[in-house]
Amino acid sequence: MLVWGIFIAVILIFLALDLGVFNRTPHIISTKEATKWTVIWVTISLLFSGVIYWLYSTNIIDNVDNLTPTNATLKYITGYLIELSLSVDNIFVIAVIFTSFKIPLKYQHRVLFWGILGAIVFRALMIFFGVILINKFSFTTYVFGAFLIFTAYRMLVSKDEEFHPKKSFVYRQVRKIIPITSHMNGEHFFVKLKHITAATPLFIALIIIEFTDILFALDSIPAILAITSDPFLVFTSNIFAILGLRSMYFFLSNMLAKFHYLKYSLIVILTFVGIKLLLAHHFKFPEWFSLTVIALSLGAGIIVSLKLINEKEV
């Protein structure tokens, strides 16, 4: 528990510095700044694999699955890549939500900060119960595996329909609970209007982002549980992927349309981890093989997308 406590404390310190120091004054996140922070978070996340190796080689952490340091490290990196790749769709939805509610660029970071803080709490709860289900009920692996394959199939056959946040179930329910104003009040989530308190577009965007993250987690949590049921590896890889999501949003939001074929990369990844879960009690894929499949799928999607873009421009 000491290791868990130190990790969570360090994450909270990072978040406090982020909002209280680096982004104390609301401002527009430039592409240069977003690129810098994306590189920083990806670097920190990958360097943490060294910490994982050290923790599991010295037995400081509770090694519930009796993993070797090398296997634990590979599982962490594989899980991190899965979470990072599945975040691409989430980034697109966030961009649609901000556009729909006309959230100014300089306030978007604040909304994402609180959104990601909430996502950490919800992800932690989902991971906790997911690990319990996997460990207590062996048939859960079949349920999760079938669900991931079904999700992949649905992504393959579904048409790219536009998401309309103002028509969503969450937006309609929030309107029944609290008045909503269409006017901004700086970076505030609420505003006083005569004798009532109304929610600003910032708060509504935050709530919808939280709920969409929960929906995306329904795919990503089972996907990473296909790699490992070790709660520390699942939690840390998830958290680092979430922490890098904000900078990735500002880095990729204007370029998402260019990476159209990443959709097929996600389909391959979800199908693979689904099959891995279905075969979990009968066959174990080597860790290097899982990491290779996921890395090649992502790389192929990016390369094909960029190649076709260049051909169109020519």
Side-chain angles (χ1 to χ4, degrees), residues 23-198:
N23 292 282
R24 187 173 183 178
T25 303
H27 64 283
I28 296 174
I29 307 295
S30 65
T31 302
K32 182 180 179 181
E33 184 179 354
T35 303
K36 179 185 73 175
W37 280 107
T38 299
V39 171
I40 288 174
W41 278 118
V42 171
T43 302
I44 291 175
S45 303
L46 294 178
L47 287 176
F48 190 75
S49 61
V51 177
I52 293 291
Y53 186 91
W54 175 70
L55 288 173
Y56 283 80
S57 61
T58 55
N59 294 319
I60 294 177
I61 190 76
D62 187 16
N63 192 348
V64 294
D65 291 339
N66 295 316
L67 299 172
T68 65
T70 301
N71 276 343
T73 303
L74 288 174
K75 285 179 180 293
Y76 164 78
I77 295 173
T78 305
Y80 172 70
L81 288 178
I82 286 178
E83 292 302 316
L84 209 59
S85 60
L86 293 177
S87 295
V88 174
D89 275 354
N90 204 353
I91 291 173
F92 176 76
V93 172
I94 290 172
V96 173
I97 292 171
F98 281 150
T99 301
S100 177
F101 291 102
K102 299 178 181 177
I103 306 298
L105 289 172
K106 65 178 180 178
Y107 298 136
Q108 290 182 6
H109 181 275
R110 179 176 175 82
V111 175
L112 286 179
F113 173 87
W114 291 108
I116 285 172
L117 193 62
I120 290 174
V121 175
F122 287 123
R123 293 288 181 102
L125 291 172
M126 294 179 77
I127 290 169
F128 175 76
F129 289 111
V131 169
I132 289 178
L133 287 173
I134 287 284
N135 291 329
K136 293 288 184 182
F137 307 101
S138 58
F139 68 87
T140 308
T141 56
Y142 299 111
V143 176
F144 283 171
F147 175 73
L148 291 177
I149 291 175
F150 171 73
T151 302
Y153 172 76
R154 190 176 59 187
M155 287 180 66
L156 180 63
V157 300
S158 65
K159 297 179 180 178
D160 295 329
E161 298 179 355
E162 289 188 11
F163 173 59
H164 300 285
K166 291 185 178 180
K167 295 180 181 179
S168 67
F169 172 80
V170 176
Y171 180 77
R172 295 198 305 270
Q173 298 309 308
V174 172
R175 287 189 64 180
K176 295 177 182 179
I177 300 172
I178 186 172
I180 298 174
T181 177
S182 59
H183 301 292
M184 299 291 299
N185 184 32
E187 60 180 8
H188 300 291
F189 290 117
F190 298 95
V191 61
K192 285 282 187 180
L193 296 174
K194 295 182 179 179
H195 302 294
I196 63 170
T197 299

